[in-house]
């Protein structure tokens, strides 16, 4: 059974939603390349076994996400990646479905390095007693986790609680957008370690710095946590390459 965070992002409630999901995955996974023109409407609708009306609705949504551009007489053309709405929940989910790729993981780490240390410092300055309790609860759930799924769910809860403790609603909204990608990253990181709880001490340092209202200590603790998880993944890549070359 798939973990809950891998099931969440795309709710397919309609025929056009199913078509959007299918075409979106093909584009984001690289099965259909930027610059390529999708088959004509009647051909595509027939191959997907849907009406042209459902197909058109799906194409409208994909266009709004920046994946395609429709032109009269030309058809729907896949746009370059830099034009995609990369933080759209569906686009992120489609990228995660084709994970892991070294390039995407590296970019996700870079995004975490920019956002999370600053968020931890802000949380240490502004957190309320209630927000601290939420971070502490998540930490205890991580400590008590018996399975990888339980660990990942608690890890997401911890980082969500830290971002909420900043009191910045923009950062809070950002977490809901990147939750799927972070869930995938946390699972990859924990799975490649000999003990999936290996990063628990880093989380404890962040928690205590926020508890004691020490912004710079919280910032450095979060930086160390991210660096450690990146190093763990890089070691795993190295082992995999050696095995492949053996």
């Amino acid at each position: 059974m798939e973990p809950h965070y891998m099931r969440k992002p795309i709710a397919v409630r309609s025929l056009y939603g199913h078509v959007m999901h299918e075409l979106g995955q093909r584009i984001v996974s690289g099965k259909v390349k930027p610059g390529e023109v999708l088959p004509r409407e009647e051909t595509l609708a027939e191959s997907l076994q849907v009406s042209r009306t459902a197909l058109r609705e799906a194409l409208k949504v994909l266009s709004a996400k920046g994946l395609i551009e429709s032109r009269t007489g030309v058809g729907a053309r896949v746009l370059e990646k830099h034009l995609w709405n990369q933080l759209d929940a569906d686009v992120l989910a489609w990228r995660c479905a084709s994970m892991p790729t070294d390039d995407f993981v590296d970019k996700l780490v870079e995004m975490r390095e920019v956002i999370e240390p600053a968020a931890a410092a802000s949380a240490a300055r502004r957190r309320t007693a209630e927000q601290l309790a939420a971070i502490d609860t998540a930490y205890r759930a991580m400590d008590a986790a018996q399975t990888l799924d339980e660990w990942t769910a608690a890890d997401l809860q911890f980082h969500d609680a830290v971002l909420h403790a900043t009191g910045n609603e923009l950062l809070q909204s950002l977490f809901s957008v990147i939750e799927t990608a972070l869930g995938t990253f946390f699972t990859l990181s924990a799975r490649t370690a000999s003990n999936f709880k290996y990063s628990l001490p880093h989380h404890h340092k962040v928690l205590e710095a926020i508890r004691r209202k020490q912004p710079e200590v919280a910032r450095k603790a979060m930086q160390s946590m991210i660096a450690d998880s990146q190093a763990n993944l890089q070691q795993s890549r190295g082992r995999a390459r050696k095995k492949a070359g053996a």
Side-chain angles (χ1 to χ4, degrees):
M1 185 174 177
E2 285 183 325
H4 70 92
Y5 52 84
M6 293 298 286
R7 297 198 305 267
K8 178 187 173 187
I10 303 169
V12 179
R13 296 191 179 94
S14 63
L15 192 54
Y16 94 82
H18 171 74
V19 176
M20 178 196 71
H21 172 71
E22 176 64 29
L23 290 176
Q25 275 203 319
R26 289 184 190 179
I27 294 168
V28 173
S29 68
K31 289 179 182 176
V32 185
K33 307 289 184 187
E36 286 187 29
V37 177
L38 296 178
R40 293 175 60 176
E41 270 191 15
E42 56 266 35
T43 305
L44 194 54
E46 187 178 339
S47 70
L48 293 168
Q49 297 183 319
V50 296
S51 69
R52 290 174 71 174
T53 301
L55 176 63
R56 283 171 188 156
E57 287 301 311
L59 293 177
K60 281 181 187 175
V61 178
L62 292 175
S63 179
K65 295 177 186 295
L67 297 184
I68 63 171
E69 176 184 55
S70 295
R71 288 183 180 177
T72 306
V74 177
R77 181 176 63 87
V78 177
L79 294 175
E80 297 296 326
K81 288 183 182 180
H82 72 273
L83 295 172
W84 299 356
N85 183 355
Q86 297 285 357
L87 291 181
D88 177 88
D90 288 335
V91 175
L92 265 177
W94 294 327
R95 288 201 73 171
C96 288
S98 59
M99 286 278 281
T101 63
D102 291 352
D103 181 54
F104 186 58
V105 169
D106 289 342
K107 286 173 182 173
L108 186 57
V109 168
E110 185 176 20
M111 183 174 70
R112 291 189 68 200
E113 287 172 338
V114 170
I115 296 167
E116 292 195 274
S122 178
R125 282 192 296 268
R126 300 175 184 166
R127 60 86 178 161
T128 63
E130 185 179 358
Q131 289 165 340
L132 175 64
I135 300 171
D136 187 70
T137 297
Y139 172 79
R140 291 177 186 278
M142 293 177 73
D143 192 23
Q146 297 297 310
T147 66
L148 182 59
D149 280 1
E150 289 175 356
W151 167 268
T152 302
D155 203 354
L156 282 169
Q157 184 186 346
F158 182 94
H159 290 270
D160 187 24
V162 170
L163 285 178
H164 271 76
T166 65
N168 185 326
E169 65 275 12
L170 296 179
L171 283 173
Q172 293 163 16
S173 297
L174 180 62
F175 182 86
S176 67
V177 171
I178 65 174
E179 181 180 359
T180 304
L182 280 179
T184 304
F185 179 87
F186 292 158
T187 301
L188 282 171
S189 183
R191 187 184 291 146
T192 54
S194 55
N195 174 9
F196 64 74
K197 292 187 181 181
Y198 80 97
S199 67
L200 193 62
H202 287 296
H203 288 78
H204 186 260
K205 288 176 183 176
V206 171
L207 168 63
E208 287 306 308
I210 293 173
R211 188 193 307 279
R212 294 171 184 168
K213 295 195 171 183
Q214 299 173 318
E216 286 311 308
V217 176
R219 184 193 304 276
K220 288 175 182 175
M222 185 65 83
Q223 284 172 337
S224 294
M225 182 196 301
I226 296 168
D228 191 47
S229 62
Q230 183 181 26
N232 174 57
L233 284 170
Q234 286 173 339
Q235 286 174 2
S236 174
R237 289 178 195 172
R239 288 193 297 270
R241 289 190 188 107
K242 281 181 183 177
K243 205 176 273 187

